[in-house]
Amino acid sequence: MVAMTTDTPPDQPVPSIEEFLAALPRGMGDLNKKMGIELVEISPDRVVATMPVEGNTQPYGLLHGGASVVLAETLGSLGAGLHARPDRVPVGVDINATHHRAATSGTVTGTATAIHLGRTMAAYEVVISDEQGRRICTSRITCALVAKERVGL
C-alpha cells in the first residue's frame, strides 16, 4: 500500500466528470478520444477510467505498452489537475511503467491513487487491470504544478 502525503488541504468541491471535462481547454483531448478512454470517477485523490483493448494493440495482438502508459499519464495528469486548480496546471515530468501480463481483449481499467499532493508537485501510482481484476501494468507519474500563464493558458 502506498501512503499519500499532502501539503495543501482540499478547499474546493470536486466537480462532476461532465463539469470537469467542460472546463478543460480541449476536453479529454484527441488522443484519449481515439483510444476510447472513458472516465468513471474523478477526485484529486483517485481517478478511474476504462480503455478498450481493441484498437489499442501492437502487431502481436496484445495491448500496446504505450497505450497503457497513455492511460496512466491521462489519469495522473487529470488527478493532478483537479488538485492544482484553479490557478495551476499539471505538466508531466516523469512516468514509468512495469508491464506484468498481456491483455488481448475486453476492457482494462486504470486506477490512479495519489501518492503526494503538494503545492508544486503531485505524484500518482496507477494500476491497470483486466476484466478479471488481474494487474496488467503498474505505473508511477509525477507532475509539476505550474502557473497557467507559464503554459499559455
Side-chain angles (χ1 to χ4, degrees):
M1 175 156 242
V2 177
M4 189 203 36
T5 62
T6 183
D7 291 342
T8 56
D11 58 351
Q12 302 180 61
V14 175
S16 70
I17 292 171
E18 294 77 19
E19 292 168 332
F20 180 65
L21 291 176
L24 294 174
R26 291 175 180 80
M28 278 294 285
D30 292 340
L31 180 58
N32 291 314
K33 289 178 190 173
K34 287 177 186 174
M35 296 185 73
I37 295 172
E38 294 187 20
L39 287 175
V40 174
E41 174 186 334
I42 61 167
S43 76
D45 298 321
R46 179 179 149 105
V47 182
V48 180
T50 61
M51 181 179 71
V53 172
E54 185 177 340
N56 294 313
T57 57
Q58 40 90 308
Y60 297 100
L62 308 174
L63 177 65
H64 197 292
S68 295
V69 174
V70 168
L71 177 58
E73 184 160 356
T74 296
L75 298 178
S77 294
L78 290 176
L82 276 163
H83 169 67
R85 69 188 172 98
D87 58 338
R88 293 180 177 269
V89 295
V91 177
V93 295
D94 180 67
I95 189 164
N96 66 56
T98 301
H99 305 287
H100 306 291
R101 70 182 319 126
T104 57
S105 64
T107 301
V108 295
T109 300
T111 302
T113 305
I115 299 168
H116 173 76
L117 297 175
R119 289 183 308 275
T120 61
M121 187 170 290
Y124 288 80
E125 177 187 56
V126 183
V127 174
I128 300 172
S129 56
D130 65 14
E131 291 174 332
Q132 290 75 43
R134 298 176 297 194
R135 189 177 292 227
I136 300 299
C137 176
T138 304
S139 182
R140 186 183 49 79
I141 177 172
T142 303
C143 294
L145 306 177
V146 301
K148 282 184 173 183
E149 306 81 50
R150 289 194 58 201
V151 294
L153 294 176

